[in-house]
């Protein structure tokens, strides 16, 4: 039988807050420039997604174009993308096991 897979349900698409306190890890500090860069990239990506959605529904004739590979690379035929949700779940469980 296949291994059981942990599923973490998100509220409103947000990542759940971790309840474990990391004692040894220093708190991350973000500079104003870092926050500005993150905000810029986030807002720019939101615009691209809106324009892509608009072009799919026929609202706009020009705008971003989504790349779709016409001839797949034969070297990638056995490629399996990583399941980030599963990876995060494993990391979470490893932290719990290491703390106990």
């Amino acid at each position: 039988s296949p291994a059981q897979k942990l599923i973490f349900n998100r509220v409103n698409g947000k990542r759940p807050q971790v309840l474990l306190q990391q004692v040894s890890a220093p708190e991350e500090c973000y500079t104003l420039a870092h926050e500005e860069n993150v905000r810029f990239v986030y807002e720019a990506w939101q615009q691209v997604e809106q324009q892509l959605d608009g072009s799919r529904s026929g609202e706009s004739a020009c705008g971003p174009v989504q790349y779709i590979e016409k001839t797949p690379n034969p070297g990638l035929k056995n490629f399996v993308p990583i399941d980030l949700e599963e990876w995060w779940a494993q990391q979470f469980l490893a932290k719990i096991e290491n703390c106990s």
Side-chain angles (χ1 to χ4, degrees):
S1 70
Q4 290 185 353
K5 185 175 182 179
L6 287 176
I7 299 175
F8 292 95
N9 294 322
R10 293 183 177 184
V11 179
N12 297 330
K14 296 180 181 176
R15 184 176 294 275
Q17 291 189 0
V18 178
L19 298 177
L20 296 176
Q21 295 290 330
Q22 291 186 357
V23 178
S24 61
E27 189 170 325
E28 293 184 41
C29 296
Y30 298 111
T31 64
L32 184 59
H34 172 82
E35 291 180 13
E36 218 172 282
N37 288 339
V38 170
R39 190 175 310 110
F40 170 79
V41 170
Y42 174 79
E43 290 172 359
W45 185 248
Q46 293 303 309
Q47 288 177 348
V48 169
E49 284 187 324
Q50 288 174 354
Q51 290 172 355
L52 273 174
D53 288 343
S55 65
R56 286 184 193 130
S57 63
E59 292 175 17
S60 175
C62 60
V65 177
Q66 186 172 5
Y67 175 77
I68 299 173
E69 194 169 11
K70 292 176 177 62
T71 312
N73 183 339
L76 297 175
K77 74 176 188 176
N78 294 325
F79 174 76
V80 178
I82 186 171
D83 183 345
L84 285 177
E85 292 295 326
E86 178 66 21
W87 185 84
W88 280 113
Q90 290 173 358
Q91 297 300 311
F92 181 74
L93 288 176
K95 285 181 183 178
I96 291 173
E97 289 173 359
N98 288 337
C99 289
S100 58

